[in-house]
């Protein structure tokens, strides 16, 4: 620029500068600011005038900044020591270049020098050949035997990797499976029945009177579609009806009301898995017989931390000439022992279809209290005799969600169903 | 179950054996009571109607009288604080209404603890009053054909005991009456009744007027017809359903034609029991003669226990057309009990003497004690069941009583020795194999709700609602109106609930869905299914197809897929899954990438692919 100004006689209009200097417009602006800052030229209106300092600079040796830029342009990059070695005034240049962004870039680099110690030198003296170091062993190295020539770098084996979780069973399903295993081990046959059940099998066959509160619309889900169930054979229906009305041939007073077959045909969502066991008993009432059923049951409960409209039960019956209330307690105790409980309490319970009836409590160490687990009893003659069964029938219906809640420390039953995947991953198989 | 608080003081007055609080709880538990624990109640009296109101220590004092409706905020002077009382709280044992109040509970404890070997006995004075039953009450037009009555004289009941009697009446309605349907009880001040010949008859809805309980006797507007009472009175509205469709209503009147009550709805105000009442007239009406007699027996004998020797229990003659009965009838129910059968059923060694002792501890008489006369027949005891017990339908009920007296804690549990082989359901084995295969593929098992809705099961999958679904007649919420027809919505809901969980998420469920099926006895059946799903940036058809193929391979089948345009999938990315083995081919389900509209519907912001298969098809198992 100052050369161009000198050629033009010491001054030039701003408009003419690009043409006279051969610089693009944006560089002209940059150069103007630089000239003014160094005091080599001054702007008078639209005219740029070369000053004496500018004329002197034309012949003076390159300033520190220009020298540095020239050196870096040649070298690409260089360390400060290297530049100082070329007699460049690095500190001065840095001062001049300060605030002019984009011209040079400085990076700090640390250099560490490692010297071979005496032991290393001694080892080298024995003729150690340096080997290639690798992270990953591969098929090529194994095939060629090349692995012998390389070193596999050691890992820091104390560092944790990302968490992994196996695909696994749901905690409540583990309880179902364990329950099934217990009863299979005890020699029980597994049975099943439908979710939709007739009032007949859910209630009437179990001697539950048709106005029993459990049959209220308040407590039981009635089904609109299908609209009606079929009843079993007429002789059985008739016997059950008479047993309700006046005890029939069972020696009972009965419930003394007019039994309504239409109520027996109304479909419900089964309220207990006893519907499955009573069907099994009707199919084959001969002793000895041991059957069980694990499955969901439906109650019209308001949802809270203890209740859901659907929960699971294990129901079982033992048809055995030698069966008694004492052996019923024995089976209940065997089951809960195998499920991991040690202390039991049996208290009187009251159900329409068993006599005597019992409620099972287990001691819960974490709560320091007895917790009710389920009900059991011996089927009343009003239940068994209409089915042609004359041996004692021991029966029970035990809730399973509670077992899972205690085992996995869950406060609310709903968590078992709307499960957080994180919780499922954490629920260890060993618990 | 309703919970009742039995005042400890009243119990202690009636039971001689000293029992520490924990001992009392244990004894009651061994009798089958569900004891909640002890509580201190604060007591308030309503100065207008002498009602007693009790609250727990954490509750706020009452603002309204639950009997007369007095507003204590407006008229604080009507509320009197009466101090505190200690109660033991327990659930009502529905089968034992004779244990609902302190008198009856003490009667049970005295026997159980061995304080008394004799059954409770009550002296009944001969009838002075008669009730004529008009045959019209037995006709379908009103149908409440039976009535049982009693008179109780010499009452010096304090407010507490009146409260207990009122509560007992309410609880008997609940436990025996099925909310007044089968039995409803009325208690009246005998001094307000005229003559000795009362009438139980029917009345037309507009035939007469009387002032129902709780209405002001001095106001002409209080005189209401039966129809108006059903429409206006709070109790009338609450119980009108019991008379629905009846052309005439039951009515109980005294000799002068004064209305005692409109059973089972309401008594008249004019015959109301007050603090000054010395003699009660009691009636129980209903549909089952044994039941109303038991209800009356329980009420009368409980009053006898509470009121002590000063009371006179007096019978009433009931004149039905063609027969007369006298109530209350406290004749025990005689039941023969086979000693060996009882011992066998309980599973303990019992002889006749031991069994008799156990039954006496439950309040029964086994007559006569000692010697061979104990036995009614060969190896049989003749047991006399007190007339206040309503739960002895069959000799097995006495066996339970004997077992309770023996003590469940004294019965040694043992296993039945009969050997059986045991077997599992084939389908359960198949389900276990499917679960094992999917777990091995890295899928996490979930359990989702069985009850669902049309919106979730159909609309949210872009599927048309079909007629095969099992519909609940009385759902609790609009989210649970049907039994699920697919496992997929449960899986999608699980994804939706876990959007904060790392991706990809792989889950599965093995479970049942329900369908209507006219060919079945119940009109429906369940299908066992398995469904799996993956959600994440790379979830796609290929992965789920491979997983499905692996699963079927483990179950012994090959997978063949054919394009399927199920609307829940992206067009061209859904397939029918066909299981093949040799020549057998069976469509078993669907595989596909979910349509973005389905993902949006579940608020999922990542792609998801799914499959759902039947586990239960013919030939598959």
């Amino acid at each position: 620029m100052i050369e161009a100004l000198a050629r033009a006689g010491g001054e030039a209009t701003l408009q003419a500068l690009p043409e006279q200097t051969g610089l693009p417009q944006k560089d002209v602006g940059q150069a103007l600011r630089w000239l003014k800052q160094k005091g080599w030229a001054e702007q008078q209106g639209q005219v740029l005038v070369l000053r004496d300092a500018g004329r002197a600079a034309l012949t003076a040796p390159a300033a520190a900044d220009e020298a540095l830029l020239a050196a870096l342009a040649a070298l690409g990059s260089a360390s400060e020591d290297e530049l100082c070695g070329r007699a460049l005034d690095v500190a001065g240049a840095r001062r001049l270049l300060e605030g002019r962004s984009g011209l040079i870039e400085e990076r700090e680099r640390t250099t560490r020098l490692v010297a071979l110690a005496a032991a290393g030198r001694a080892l080298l003296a024995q003729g150690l050949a340096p080997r290639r170091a690798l992270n990953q062993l591969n098929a090529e190295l194994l095939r060629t035997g090349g692995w012998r020539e390389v070193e596999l770098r050691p890992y820091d084996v104390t560092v944790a990797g990302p968490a992994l979780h196996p695909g696994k069973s749901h905690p409540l399903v583990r309880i179902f499976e364990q329950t099934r295993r217990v009863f299979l081990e005890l020699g029980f046959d597994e049975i099943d029945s439908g979710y939709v059940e007739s009032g007949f099998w859910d209630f009437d066959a179990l001697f539950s009177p048709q106005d029993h509160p459990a049959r209220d619309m308040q407590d039981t889900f009635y089904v609109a579609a299908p609209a009606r169930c079929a009843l079993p054979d007429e002789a059985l229906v008739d016997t059950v009806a008479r047993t309700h009305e006046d005890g029939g041939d069972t020696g009972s007073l009965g419930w003394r009301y007019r039994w309504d077959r239409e109520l027996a045909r109304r479909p419900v969502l089964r309220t207990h898995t006893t519907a499955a066991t009573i069907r099994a008993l009707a199919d084959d009432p001969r002793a000895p017989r041991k059957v069980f059923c694990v499955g969901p049951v439906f109650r019209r409960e308001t949802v809270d931390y203890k209740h859901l409209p659907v929960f699971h039960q294990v129901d079982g019956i033992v048809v055995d000439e030698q069966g008694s209330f004492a052996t019923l307690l024995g089976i209940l105790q065997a089951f809960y022992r195998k499920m991991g409980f040690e202390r039991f309490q049996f208290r009187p319970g009251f159900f329409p279809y068993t006599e005597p009836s019992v409620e099972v409590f287990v001691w819960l160490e974490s709560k320091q209290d007895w917790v009710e687990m389920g009900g059991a009893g011996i089927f009343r003659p009003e239940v068994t005799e209409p089915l042609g069964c004359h041996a004692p029938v021991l029966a029970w219906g035990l809730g399973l969600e509670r077992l899972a809640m205690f085992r996995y420390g869950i406060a609310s039953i709903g968590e078992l169903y709307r499960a957080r995947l994180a919780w499922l991953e954490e629920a260890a198989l060993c618990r | 179950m309703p919970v009742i608080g039995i005042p400890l003081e009243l119990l202690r007055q009636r039971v001689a054996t000293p029992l520490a609080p924990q001992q009392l709880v244990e004894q009651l538990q061994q009798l089958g009571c569900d004891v909640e624990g002890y509580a201190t109640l604060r007591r308030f009296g309503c100065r207008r109607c002498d009602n007693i109101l009790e609250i727990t220590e954490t509750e706020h004092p009452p603002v309204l009288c639950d009997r007369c409706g007095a507003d204590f905020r407006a008229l604080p002077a009507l509320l009197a604080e009466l101090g505190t009382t200690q109660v033991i709280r327990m659930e009502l044992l529905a089968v034992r209404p004779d244990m609902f109040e302190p008198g009856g509970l003490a009667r049970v404890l005295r026997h159980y603890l061995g304080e008394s070997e004799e059954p409770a006995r009550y002296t009944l004075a001969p009838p002075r009053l008669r009730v004529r039953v008009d045959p019209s009450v037995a006709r379908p037009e009103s149908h409440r054909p039976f009535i049982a009555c009693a008179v109780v004289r010499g009452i010096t009941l304090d407010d507490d005991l009146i409260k207990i009697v009122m509560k007992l009446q309410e609880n008997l309605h609940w436990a025996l009456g099925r909310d007044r349907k089968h039995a409803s009880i009325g208690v009246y001040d005998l001094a307000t009744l005229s003559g000795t010949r009362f009438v139980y008859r029917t009345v037309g809805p507009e035939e007469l007027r009387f002032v129902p309980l709780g209405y002001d006797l001095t106001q002409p507007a209080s005189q209401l017809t039966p129809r108006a009472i059903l429409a206006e009175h709070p109790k009338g509205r609450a119980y009108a359903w019991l008379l629905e469709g009846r052309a005439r209503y039951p009515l109980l009147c005294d000799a002068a034609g004064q209305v005692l009550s409109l059973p089972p709805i309401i008594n008249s105000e004019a015959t109301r029991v007050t603090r000054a009442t010395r003699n009660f007239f009691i009636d129980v009406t209903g549909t089952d003669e044994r039941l109303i007699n038991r209800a009356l027996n329980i009420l009368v004998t409980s009053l006898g226990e509470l009121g002590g020797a000063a009371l006179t229990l007096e019978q009433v003659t009931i004149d039905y057309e063609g027969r007369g009965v006298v109530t209350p009838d406290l004749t025990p129910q005689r039941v023969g009990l086979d000693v060996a059968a009882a011992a066998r059923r309980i599973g303990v060694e019992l002889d006749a003497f031991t069994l008799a002792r156990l039954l006496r501890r439950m309040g029964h008489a086994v007559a006569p004690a000692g010697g061979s006369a104990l036995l009614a027949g060969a190896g049989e005891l003749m047991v006399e069941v007190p007339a206040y017990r309503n739960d002895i339908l069959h000799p097995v009920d006495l066996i339970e009583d004997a077992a309770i007296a023996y003590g469940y804690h004294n019965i040694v549990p043992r296993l039945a020795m009969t050997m059986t082989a045991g077997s599992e359901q084939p389908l359960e084995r198949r389900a276990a194999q499917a679960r094992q295969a999917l777990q091995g593929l890295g899928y996490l098992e979930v359990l989702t709700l069985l009850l669902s809705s049309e919106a979730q099961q159909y609309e949210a999958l872009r599927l048309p609602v079909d007629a095969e679904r099992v519909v609940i007649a009385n759902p609790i919420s609009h989210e649970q109106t049907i039994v699920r027809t697919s496992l997929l919505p449960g899986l999608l809901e699980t994804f939706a609930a876990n959007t904060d969980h790392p991706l990809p998420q792989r889950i599965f469920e093995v479970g049942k869905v329900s369908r209507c099926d006219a060919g079945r006895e119940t009109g429906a059946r369940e299908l066992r299914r398995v469904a799996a799903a993956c959600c994440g940036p790379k979830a796609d058809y290929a992965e789920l197809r491979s997983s499905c193929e692996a699963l079927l391979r483990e179950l012994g089948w090959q997978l063949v897929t054919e394009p399927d345009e199920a609307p829940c999938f992206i067009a061209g990315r859904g397939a029918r899954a066909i299981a093949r083995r040799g020549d057998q081919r069976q469509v078993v389900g669907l595989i596909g990438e979910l349509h973005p509209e389905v993902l949006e519907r579940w608020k999922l912001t990542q792609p998801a692919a799914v499959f759902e298969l039947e586990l239960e098809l013919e030939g598959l198992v």
Side-chain angles (χ1 to χ4, degrees):
Chain A
M1 181 83 90
I2 53 175
E3 278 164 8
L5 276 177
R7 274 199 307 276
E11 59 178 53
T13 61
L14 294 181
Q15 289 92 334
L17 278 176
E19 193 187 321
Q20 285 170 348
T21 59
L23 290 171
Q25 184 71 45
K26 66 177 172 45
D27 290 352
V28 170
Q30 179 90 6
L32 274 178
R33 274 193 301 281
W34 194 229
L35 288 181
K36 288 177 198 164
Q37 191 184 332
K38 288 196 161 193
W40 287 354
E42 70 180 324
Q43 194 178 333
Q44 298 171 350
Q46 290 299 304
V47 179
L48 187 70
V49 181
L50 188 65
R51 298 181 61 177
D52 290 348
R55 285 186 205 285
L58 275 173
T59 52
D65 56 341
E66 286 169 20
L68 181 69
L69 289 174
L72 282 175
L75 293 171
S77 71
S79 72
E80 191 169 340
D81 289 350
E82 209 177 327
L83 293 169
C84 289
R86 287 169 181 257
L88 289 166
D89 175 7
V90 176
R94 192 187 271 139
R95 215 165 29 248
L96 285 169
L97 290 170
E98 201 169 10
R100 298 187 62 200
S101 60
L103 288 182
I104 60 167
E105 187 187 355
E106 283 190 69
R107 284 191 204 138
E108 196 162 291
R109 187 175 288 167
T110 307
T111 309
R112 290 196 178 87
L113 293 178
V114 182
L116 207 55
R121 277 195 297 274
L123 206 61
L124 264 185
Q126 290 168 16
L128 186 74
R131 297 209 298 170
R132 201 153 59 100
L134 288 180
N135 282 332
Q136 184 66 53
L137 187 62
N138 59 38
E140 175 73 9
L141 291 168
L142 287 167
R143 193 171 50 76
T144 59
W147 61 271
R148 291 187 172 81
E149 311 303 325
V150 301
E151 185 193 344
L152 290 167
R153 291 194 187 97
Y155 296 145
D156 180 352
V157 295
T158 64
V159 173
L164 288 181
H165 298 281
K168 57 185 173 181
S169 52
H170 189 283
L172 187 54
V173 175
R174 289 176 218 162
I175 299 280
F176 300 160
E177 291 301 300
Q178 194 184 353
T179 301
R180 294 181 58 245
R181 199 163 59 240
V182 167
F183 284 106
L184 291 169
E185 281 168 1
L186 291 170
F188 283 70
D189 292 319
E190 184 172 32
I191 53 158
D192 197 9
S193 76
Y195 296 170
V196 176
E197 190 53 279
S198 61
F200 183 85
W201 288 112
D202 203 78
F203 300 114
D204 293 288
L206 288 162
F207 196 53
S208 291
Q210 292 188 319
D211 65 351
H212 193 275
R215 292 179 84 147
D216 275 358
M217 296 287 282
Q218 278 302 322
D219 296 321
T220 295
F221 284 115
Y222 282 86
V223 171
R228 281 284 174 276
C229 297
L231 291 177
D233 72 85
E234 205 47 44
L236 175 59
V237 174
D238 193 53
T239 314
V240 167
R242 284 196 297 116
T243 307
H244 277 244
E245 289 183 347
D246 60 14
D249 304 325
T250 63
S252 169
L253 295 174
W255 295 119
R256 302 172 311 282
Y257 70 104
R258 191 58 177 262
W259 190 81
D260 180 350
R261 63 189 298 127
E262 276 314 300
L263 287 178
R265 291 189 61 199
R266 289 191 67 181
V268 300
L269 294 181
R270 69 176 179 199
T271 61
H272 46 190
T273 35
T274 319
T277 48
I278 194 70
R279 274 178 176 275
L281 187 65
D283 284 346
D284 183 359
R286 292 166 304 174
R289 188 106 200 277
K290 284 153 60 177
V291 302
F292 79 99
C293 171
V294 171
V297 299
F298 304 80
R299 306 262 174 99
R300 210 166 165 277
E301 303 259 21
T302 314
V303 176
D304 63 22
Y305 75 101
K306 267 166 103 169
H307 299 99
L308 278 183
V310 183
F311 59 95
H312 290 76
Q313 283 189 326
V314 55
D315 242 85
I317 55 172
V318 171
V319 189
D320 191 334
E321 295 293 352
Q322 303 304 313
S324 69
F325 195 59
T327 57
L328 171 65
L329 301 188
I331 293 165
L332 295 170
Q333 186 169 296
F335 171 66
Y336 283 109
R337 271 222 175 102
K338 282 169 179 268
M339 296 307 280
F341 296 94
E342 282 160 15
R343 293 176 64 196
F344 316 93
Q345 224 179 52
F346 299 110
R347 297 184 196 162
F350 300 91
F351 311 108
Y353 43 94
T354 53
E355 198 77 16
S357 309
V358 59
E359 281 175 2
V360 192
F361 290 73
V362 296
W363 177 259
L364 207 63
E365 207 55 42
S366 59
K367 280 187 142 180
Q368 287 292 300
D369 201 0
W370 294 101
V371 183
E372 191 198 328
M373 300 304 288
I378 305 181
F379 275 154
R380 299 184 65 98
E382 294 96 323
V383 174
T384 52
E385 285 180 17
L387 303 178
C389 176
H390 304 290
V393 180
L394 321 180
W396 54 90
L398 314 171
L400 295 178
E401 269 78 357
R402 284 199 141 186
L403 288 169
M405 288 170 72
F406 297 147
R407 184 171 296 180
Y408 295 95
I410 297 172
S412 167
I413 186 172
E415 288 181 43
L416 290 171
Y417 292 94
R418 277 182 229 273
R420 289 173 295 112
L421 295 180
W423 175 72
L424 288 178
E425 287 177 349
E426 283 157 20
L429 290 169
C430 66
R431 294 189 67 176
Chain B
M1 293 276 169
V3 171
I4 193 169
I6 300 277
L8 273 183
E9 192 49 37
L10 294 179
L11 204 56
R12 290 230 174 87
Q13 286 166 6
R14 291 166 171 81
V15 178
T17 312
L19 289 172
Q22 190 49 37
Q23 281 178 309
L24 177 59
V25 170
E26 279 165 19
Q27 299 292 334
L28 290 170
Q29 281 175 345
Q30 286 167 10
L31 278 163
C33 296
D34 204 339
V35 181
E36 292 197 343
Y38 291 93
T40 304
L41 298 183
R42 279 174 72 193
R43 296 151 48 78
F44 296 88
C46 170
R47 291 203 169 100
R48 183 194 282 173
C49 71
D50 299 331
N51 186 23
I52 293 177
L53 302 116
E54 290 172 336
I55 57 167
T56 62
E57 284 177 302
T58 54
E59 284 173 330
H60 290 290
V63 292
L64 286 176
C65 174
D66 60 9
R67 191 198 293 177
C68 71
D71 186 342
F72 301 132
R73 281 166 308 189
L75 297 163
L78 284 181
L79 187 66
E81 175 132 25
L82 303 176
T84 61
T85 183
Q86 275 278 327
V87 297
I88 182 162
R89 287 168 56 80
M90 56 179 131
E91 279 189 8
L92 286 182
L93 202 50
V95 296
R96 291 296 302 272
D98 58 301
M99 292 166 65
F100 280 2
E101 41 68 49
L105 189 61
R107 178 170 60 196
V108 168
L109 281 171
R110 282 198 305 270
H111 284 124
Y112 183 67
L113 297 170
E115 289 176 27
S116 165
E117 292 234 311
E118 291 299 309
R121 295 196 199 284
Y122 306 90
T123 310
L124 296 175
R128 288 195 254 170
L129 298 181
R130 306 185 82 90
V131 174
R132 183 179 67 81
V133 182
D134 189 90
S136 64
V137 292
R139 290 184 199 134
E141 61 185 23
S142 78
H143 200 73
R144 202 167 182 85
F146 300 107
I147 185 166
C149 300
V151 170
V152 180
R153 294 182 194 270
I155 292 164
T156 50
L157 298 181
D158 60 21
D159 295 338
D160 269 341
L161 292 176
I162 288 177
K163 166 111 188 154
I164 287 167
V165 173
M166 296 297 165
K167 193 78 196 163
L168 174 60
Q169 182 184 346
E170 188 183 303
N171 287 332
L172 289 174
H173 279 151
W174 168 78
L176 292 181
R178 295 267 192 266
D179 205 14
R180 305 191 184 190
K181 186 175 168 209
H182 297 331
S184 66
I185 301 165
V187 181
Y188 317 87
D189 185 343
L190 186 63
T192 64
L193 307 180
S194 322
T196 57
R197 290 170 179 273
F198 298 172
V199 182
Y200 179 46
R201 63 177 179 95
T202 60
V203 66
E206 305 280 357
E207 197 178 309
L208 51 72
R209 291 171 182 273
F210 69 96
V211 179
L213 200 63
Y215 280 46
D216 189 342
L217 276 177
T218 61
Q219 297 293 320
S222 301
Q223 296 275 350
L224 298 178
T225 62
R227 192 196 295 282
I229 288 170
L230 292 184
E232 289 169 30
H233 193 280
K235 296 286 183 203
R237 287 201 302 273
Y239 293 100
W241 65 278
L242 291 171
L243 295 177
E244 210 170 87
R246 305 287 186 202
R248 295 176 69 80
Y249 309 141
L251 188 78
L252 183 61
C253 316
D254 67 10
Q258 176 186 223
V259 175
L260 275 70
S261 64
L262 182 74
I265 311 295
I266 190 82
N267 288 7
S268 69
E269 176 67 16
T271 61
R272 184 162 74 83
V273 170
T274 67
R275 197 184 239 176
T277 301
R278 291 294 164 261
N279 303 320
F280 283 165
F281 180 77
I282 299 169
D283 84 294
V284 187
T285 60
T287 52
D288 172 11
E289 194 170 9
R290 176 184 148 97
L291 186 77
I292 60 160
N293 278 314
R294 297 283 141 169
L296 182 69
N297 294 350
I298 291 165
L299 187 60
V300 166
T301 60
S302 284
L303 273 168
E305 292 291 335
L306 292 168
L311 286 190
T312 308
L313 308 178
E314 181 183 303
Q315 293 178 309
V316 175
T317 304
I318 312 292
D319 295 313
Y320 290 100
E321 192 178 33
R323 74 182 170 118
V325 294
V326 173
T327 62
D329 177 358
L330 298 183
T331 312
Q333 173 189 352
R334 292 168 71 89
V335 180
L337 182 59
D338 184 313
V339 177
R344 239 186 355 258
R345 197 168 179 97
I346 302 172
V348 296
E349 301 270 333
L350 279 183
D351 58 28
F353 294 100
T354 316
L355 183 59
R357 208 177 61 234
L358 293 175
L359 290 168
R360 286 192 197 102
R361 282 186 55 209
M362 297 304 280
H364 304 288
V366 186
S372 58
L374 188 68
L375 301 178
E380 197 173 72
L381 289 182
M382 181 51 70
V383 184
E384 292 188 346
V385 179
Y388 53 80
R389 286 289 296 269
N390 183 50
D391 57 326
I392 309 297
L393 300 184
H394 189 280
V396 290
D397 293 299
L398 288 176
I399 297 179
E400 176 171 76
D401 265 22
I404 289 173
Y406 188 92
Y408 285 12
H409 53 292
N410 293 321
I411 299 172
V412 180
R414 59 173 195 272
L415 285 176
M417 296 310 290
T418 306
M419 185 71 188
T420 47
S423 63
E424 70 180 324
Q425 288 274 310
L427 202 57
E428 289 294 337
R429 200 174 312 138
R430 174 124 310 208
Q433 290 159 353
R435 294 175 44 241
Q436 192 186 351
L438 286 168
Q439 286 161 22
L441 290 167
Y443 289 79
L444 196 57
E445 183 172 27
V446 297
L447 274 185
T448 66
L449 298 175
L450 286 171
L451 300 184
S452 188
S453 65
E454 281 92 348
Q456 287 219 332
Q457 296 285 315
Y458 296 101
E459 287 160 38
L461 291 176
R462 304 175 80 228
L463 299 173
V465 176
D466 69 47
E468 306 268 274
R469 67 198 190 283
V470 170
V471 182
I472 297 171
N474 54 338
I476 302 182
S477 75
H478 64 276
E479 288 160 355
Q480 301 194 331
T481 54
I482 62 174
V483 185
R484 69 181 176 191
T485 56
S486 164
L487 303 181
L488 296 180
L491 297 186
L492 294 180
E493 180 142 1
T494 305
F495 285 145
N498 285 281
T499 48
D500 55 346
H501 192 75
L503 299 168
Q505 298 169 2
R506 293 188 177 86
I507 57 176
F508 79 96
E509 180 167 10
V510 175
K512 291 181 182 175
V513 302
S514 294
R515 315 292 291 159
C516 286
D517 182 342
R520 301 290 174 117
E521 179 195 322
T522 59
R525 72 188 160 123
E526 275 68 52
L527 298 170
R528 180 81 59 128
R529 290 206 180 154
V530 53
C534 177
C535 181
K538 292 182 178 163
D540 65 1
Y541 173 80
E543 179 189 339
L544 270 286
R545 191 193 183 283
S546 295
S547 299
C548 182
E549 187 171 30
L551 170 64
L552 280 179
R553 193 190 308 125
E554 294 302 322
L555 299 180
W557 292 76
Q558 284 174 294
L559 172 68
V560 178
T561 43
E562 288 176 354
D564 191 280
E565 293 304 315
C568 55
F569 299 132
I570 296 171
R573 298 189 182 184
R576 272 189 298 284
I578 296 159
R580 197 182 67 176
R581 183 197 286 152
D583 297 340
Q584 287 177 278
R585 281 168 65 95
Q586 182 94 50
V587 176
V588 291
L590 292 171
I591 313 173
E593 276 179 39
L594 288 176
H595 194 282
E597 212 175 284
V598 174
L599 298 174
E600 257 178 18
R601 175 60 214 262
W602 294 94
K603 297 196 171 60
L604 298 178
T605 54
Q606 295 286 345
V610 298
F611 71 76
E612 181 171 26
L613 306 180
E614 302 287 353
L615 271 178
E616 205 170 354
L617 283 186
E618 317 287 312
L620 243 180
V621 172

